[in-house]
């Protein structure tokens, strides 16, 4: 592939992956809005507890092996079958563990309804394990178009079933039905269209190769998700299950844009840059272009969600859910630094230094533990979440520093862009808050400020020399330009 082909492939696959992820999360958001009208904060709080155990178990099942398969240059059917068998075996063990421990977890929260919710949710683990290798094959083939189709169809089917169940009075169980029916549909589609396993052979040698890569990312992911989802457990235990429900809904909204970026853009970037790991010049040029666009887009998304948090909650969920607005603002601030941190971790994965991911994650969680203990001790939700933001920022800077050590990229160029975007975003928000206060633009009327927010952000990007209009337009035209030599 020449430069134009690589850039065009990256762009097209990013668009397909972005579109697919957006469609998936958009359907999920619409479904969630409908379910919010049918269920209570307490019922969402119950499911937020259940999802903690499902998320952690899912990471253990996958064990970072899919990332290892994507990175591996010459993947064999033996590699796929080895990973498949491992995923399936671990899923059965964890499913049985959740079935047995369900009653103990319910007793801890003094809520017997959690028992059946946990036991039914455990089935999701087994179903998800059946499709991991099929999904990896689509990613390796850069067939994000097909992957997007299957995922959107699955969430639509799952949503219809879940809404019907909620309307019939299934309560919190309808949220579990949503997860299970979506998983079953997606697994069925992948097995039908991508194909079943061609062999069922387990190779110790193959397992050692992929597991060496996966073990560090798995432990790091467990730490990351365990602490990330622990806030809903803490809120449910030390404050109220309904507070966990408010937090859960804010997190769902935060995950709409953040999930699109993390689940689509970063996946394509990782797959594309992995192919250029031996070409330093092309790698560095493409990496910096992606960093700039990525940071600008993430900054703008965070501005909009932060500024319009109350309006978003009120329109989508109703005034009774306004408590979620504060959670949403704090979560989106932390998300900016979290996404930058995840982006830097791409370098650790590409150059096989996943040991650093684990070490840095341990340090991050040590800091986070201090803030969590302080939040519980003071019984302050604000202390809990402000601590989360501070640790997210510190963690990004540490990851950034070590990423430059494993691959000697210029140190200040990327950091300069990120810090400028942070400053620009802050100025944009304060400027529009000032205008809103002068003209008393509150609620729906604050939408009149959207064009001003956009123009102010773009103007400041130019003033602070983050973007160069002429140069960036030429780069985009170059990507779309196809000569005969590229056909």
């Amino acid at each position: 592939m020449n430069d134009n082909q690589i850039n065009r492939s990256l762009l097209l696959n990013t668009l397909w992956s972005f579109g697919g992820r957006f469609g998936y999360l958009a359907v999920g958001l619409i479904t969630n809005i409908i379910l919010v009208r049918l269920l209570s904060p307490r019922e969402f709080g119950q499911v937020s507890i259940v999802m903690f155990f499902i998320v952690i178990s899912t990471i253990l099942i996958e064990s970072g092996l899919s990332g290892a398969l994507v990175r591996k240059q010459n993947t064999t059917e033996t590699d796929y079958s080895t990973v498949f068998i491992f995923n399936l075996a671990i899923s059965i063990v964890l499913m049985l563990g959740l079935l047995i421990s369900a009653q103990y977890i319910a007793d801890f929260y003094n809520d017997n309804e959690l028992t059946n919710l946990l036991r039914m949710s455990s089935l999701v683990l087994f179903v998800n394990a059946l499709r991991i290798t099929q999904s990896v094959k689509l990613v390796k083939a850069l067939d994000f178009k097909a992957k997007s189709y299957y995922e959107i169809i699955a969430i639509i089917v799952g949503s219809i079933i879940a809404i019907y169940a909620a309307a019939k009075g299934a309560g919190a169980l309808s949220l579990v039905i949503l997860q299970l029916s979506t998983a079953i549909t997606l697994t069925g589609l992948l097995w039908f269209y991508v194909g079943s396993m061609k062999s069922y052979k387990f190779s110790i040698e193959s397992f050692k190769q992929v597991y060496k890569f996966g073990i560090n990312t798995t432990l790091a992911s467990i730490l990351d998700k365990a602490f990330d989802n622990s806030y809903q457990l803490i809120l449910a235990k030390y404050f109220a299950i309904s507070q966990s429900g408010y937090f859960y809904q804010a997190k769902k909204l935060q995950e709409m844009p953040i999930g699109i970026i993390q689940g689509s853009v970063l996946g394509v970037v990782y797959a594309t840059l992995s192919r250029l790991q031996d070409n330093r010049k092309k790698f560095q040029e493409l990496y910096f272009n992606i960093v700039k666009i990525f940071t600008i887009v993430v900054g703008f998304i965070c501005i909009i969600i932060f500024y319009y948090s109350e309006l978003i909650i009120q329109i989508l969920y109703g005034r009774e859910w306004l408590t979620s607005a504060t959670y949403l603002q704090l979560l989106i601030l932390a998300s900016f630094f979290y996404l930058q941190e995840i982006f830097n971790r791409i370098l650790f994965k590409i150059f096989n230094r996943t040991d650093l991911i684990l070490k840095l994650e341990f340090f991050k969680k040590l800091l986070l533990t201090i803030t969590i203990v302080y939040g519980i001790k003071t019984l302050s939700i604000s202390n809990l979440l402000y601590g989360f933001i501070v640790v997210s920022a510190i963690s990004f800077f540490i990851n950034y520093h070590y990423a430059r050590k494993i691959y000697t990229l210029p140190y200040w160029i990327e950091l300069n862009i990120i810090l400028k975007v942070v400053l620009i975003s802050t100025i944009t928000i304060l400027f529009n808050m000032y205008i809103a206060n002068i003209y008393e633009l509150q609620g729906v009327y604050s939408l009149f400020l959207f064009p001003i927010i956009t123009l102010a952000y773009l103007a400041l990007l130019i003033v602070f020399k983050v973007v160069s209009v002429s140069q960036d337009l030429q780069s985009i035209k170059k990507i779309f330009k196809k000569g005969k030599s590229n056909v």
Side-chain angles (χ1 to χ4, degrees):
M1 276 192 180
N2 58 34
D3 291 349
N4 279 352
Q5 287 176 317
I6 292 170
N7 289 336
R8 186 171 177 80
S9 174
L10 173 64
L11 178 63
L12 291 176
N13 281 298
T14 299
L15 289 175
W16 273 114
S17 187
F18 181 89
R21 196 62 186 167
F22 177 82
Y24 182 90
L25 292 174
V27 173
L29 178 61
I30 293 169
T31 302
N32 191 53
I33 292 170
I34 296 172
L35 291 174
V36 160
R37 310 288 175 170
L38 299 171
L39 305 174
S40 68
R42 184 178 183 278
E43 287 168 322
F44 277 100
Q46 288 175 316
V47 172
S48 73
I49 295 170
V50 172
M51 290 310 298
F52 172 84
F53 298 98
I54 298 301
V55 168
I56 300 303
S57 297
T58 299
I59 295 171
L60 283 169
I61 292 167
E62 197 275 333
S63 296
L65 302 187
S66 62
L69 289 178
V70 170
R71 181 184 180 277
K72 192 173 182 182
Q73 298 291 348
N74 299 307
T75 314
T76 65
E77 286 301 323
T78 300
D79 293 327
Y80 285 119
S81 65
T82 297
V83 171
F84 175 80
I85 292 170
F86 175 81
N87 291 155
L88 203 59
I90 296 298
S91 72
I92 293 172
V93 172
L94 292 173
M95 183 178 69
L96 292 174
L98 202 52
L99 287 171
I100 294 169
S101 62
Q103 186 61 57
Y104 298 102
I105 296 170
D107 290 341
F108 180 77
Y109 285 97
N110 297 315
D111 189 343
N112 285 327
E113 292 178 21
L114 288 174
T115 305
N116 289 332
L117 294 176
L118 284 161
R119 286 174 177 169
M120 187 169 178
S121 295
S122 68
L123 297 173
V124 175
L125 303 177
F126 178 76
V127 176
N128 283 341
L130 292 172
R131 71 162 187 269
I132 292 175
T133 49
Q134 280 78 8
S135 183
V136 169
K137 288 181 179 180
L138 289 177
V139 173
K140 279 188 74 69
L142 297 179
D143 194 357
F144 291 94
K145 180 178 179 180
K147 187 173 182 289
S148 299
Y149 280 143
Y150 303 147
E151 288 176 349
I152 292 174
I153 292 171
I155 190 65
I156 290 174
V157 172
S159 296
I160 292 171
I161 296 172
I163 291 170
Y164 177 80
K168 289 296 181 179
L173 191 61
S174 60
L175 296 171
V176 176
I177 291 172
L178 171 62
Q179 301 294 326
L180 185 57
S181 55
T182 301
I184 291 172
T185 304
L186 181 56
T187 300
L189 287 170
L190 288 175
W191 272 70
F192 184 80
Y193 288 104
V194 180
S196 60
M197 300 301 300
K198 294 181 180 179
S199 69
Y200 295 91
K201 178 183 177 182
F202 187 87
S203 168
I204 298 295
E205 183 180 348
S206 175
F207 180 74
K208 287 180 179 178
Q209 289 177 0
V210 294
Y211 195 72
K212 183 181 179 182
F213 174 92
I215 183 63
N216 292 313
T217 56
T218 299
L219 293 174
S221 294
I222 289 173
L223 281 172
D224 183 37
K225 293 300 180 183
F227 275 81
D228 185 34
N229 288 275
S230 66
Y231 288 88
Q232 54 217 45
L233 297 185
I234 293 167
L235 289 170
K237 180 63 179 176
Y238 295 98
F239 298 92
I241 289 183
S242 59
Q243 284 296 327
S244 181
Y246 289 125
F247 178 83
Y248 182 71
Q249 282 304 328
K251 200 160 179 248
K252 292 279 284 185
L253 286 175
Q254 172 233 12
E255 286 173 351
M256 175 68 183
I258 303 308
I260 290 172
I261 295 169
Q262 187 176 354
S264 60
V265 178
L266 295 183
V268 177
V269 170
Y270 173 56
T272 304
L273 289 178
S274 290
R275 296 186 173 191
L276 297 175
Q277 57 188 286
D278 297 324
N279 190 325
R280 182 181 179 83
K281 184 179 178 181
K282 287 184 179 180
F283 183 96
Q284 185 167 313
E285 182 181 349
L286 186 60
Y287 180 81
F288 279 127
N289 287 333
I290 294 170
V291 165
K292 183 167 71 171
I293 296 170
F294 177 81
T295 305
I296 290 170
V297 172
V298 170
F300 183 72
I301 290 171
C302 290
I303 288 173
I304 297 303
I305 294 177
F306 182 89
Y307 190 79
Y308 288 110
S309 59
E310 284 194 7
L311 185 60
I312 291 170
I313 294 294
Q314 187 173 333
I315 291 174
L316 297 181
Y317 298 156
R319 294 190 63 83
E320 63 273 20
W321 285 87
L322 279 177
T323 302
S324 296
T326 302
Y327 289 133
L328 181 58
Q329 284 185 321
L330 296 176
L331 286 171
I332 205 65
L333 287 177
S335 294
F336 177 84
F337 295 105
Y338 173 74
L339 282 172
Q340 296 295 339
E341 177 186 330
I342 295 299
F343 193 94
N344 275 275
R345 286 186 179 182
I346 289 176
L347 294 176
F348 297 142
K349 292 180 180 180
I350 291 173
F351 298 103
N352 202 20
R353 288 302 310 274
T354 55
D355 58 307
L356 280 175
I357 294 178
L358 181 58
K359 291 174 184 177
L360 293 174
E361 197 62 39
F362 267 119
F363 179 73
K364 177 181 179 180
K365 297 323 177 194
L366 178 63
L367 294 178
L368 210 52
T369 299
I370 296 171
T371 64
I372 289 174
V373 170
Y374 179 69
I376 293 174
K377 199 172 182 66
T378 57
L379 289 179
S380 170
I381 295 174
S382 296
N383 288 341
L384 272 174
L385 295 179
Y386 282 127
F388 181 59
I389 295 170
V390 171
V391 172
S392 295
I394 293 172
S395 181
F396 155 66
F397 286 111
I398 294 173
N399 273 268
Y400 180 90
H401 174 73
Y402 279 96
R404 296 306 165 287
K405 283 193 169 184
I406 66 166
Y407 192 74
T408 53
L409 294 163
Y411 196 89
W412 291 104
I413 295 178
E414 183 184 345
L415 190 59
N416 184 47
I417 291 172
I418 293 168
L419 292 176
K420 281 183 177 179
V421 169
V422 170
L423 178 61
I424 289 167
S425 299
T426 304
I427 294 172
T428 302
I429 290 173
L430 292 175
F431 174 68
N432 280 275
M433 288 176 68
Y434 176 72
I435 294 176
N437 186 54
I438 291 177
Y439 294 99
E440 298 183 351
L441 296 173
Q442 304 296 327
V444 178
Y445 294 104
S446 64
L447 290 173
F448 288 115
L449 290 172
F450 184 82
I452 298 176
I453 293 174
T454 305
L455 291 173
Y457 185 69
L458 292 175
L460 288 170
L461 287 173
I462 295 171
V463 169
F464 281 88
K465 297 181 180 180
V466 175
V467 298
S468 171
V469 178
S470 58
Q471 184 178 340
D472 291 337
L473 283 176
Q474 286 179 357
S475 298
I476 293 172
K477 287 179 182 179
K478 189 177 180 181
I479 291 174
F480 280 103
K481 185 180 179 181
K482 293 195 298 181
K484 289 183 179 180
S485 60
N486 298 334
V487 178

